[in-house]
Amino acid sequence: MDLEGLKVVVDSANGAAYKITPQLLHELGAEVISINDEPDGVNINLIADRCISTSWRSVLKKPLACRHRS
């Protein structure tokens, strides 16, 4: 699978796949923007307005915020 040229936002909700998912997508060629990727053992899905499992707002806003860097 080749993801070259794609920009992907990964919201791992501070869960178990916080490290491997962005790494895998990057290895497949995608430009990866990773959010909510600092688990501390108790903050899984903690911030309701920022984690994808409870809100799409953070994922929808992140590419727009990064657009000027492209």
Side-chain angles (χ1 to χ4, degrees), residues 1-66:
M1 177 180 279
D2 183 14
L3 301 179
E4 189 71 36
L6 292 178
K7 184 181 284 189
V8 180
V9 177
V10 175
D11 183 343
S12 57
N14 296 313
Y18 81 97
K19 203 180 258 189
I20 191 66
T21 302
Q23 184 177 24
L24 175 64
L25 293 170
H26 176 75
E27 289 179 12
L28 290 172
E31 178 183 344
V32 180
I33 300 167
S34 185
I35 59 175
N36 298 315
D37 57 354
E38 298 178 18
D40 64 7
V42 294
N43 66 346
I44 297 172
N45 297 327
L46 184 63
I47 307 169
D49 66 335
R50 288 186 23 210
C51 288
I52 188 67
S53 64
T54 54
S55 172
W56 282 89
R57 279 184 236 124
S58 59
V59 173
L60 295 175
K61 289 179 181 178
K62 193 66 173 181
L64 296 174
C66 295

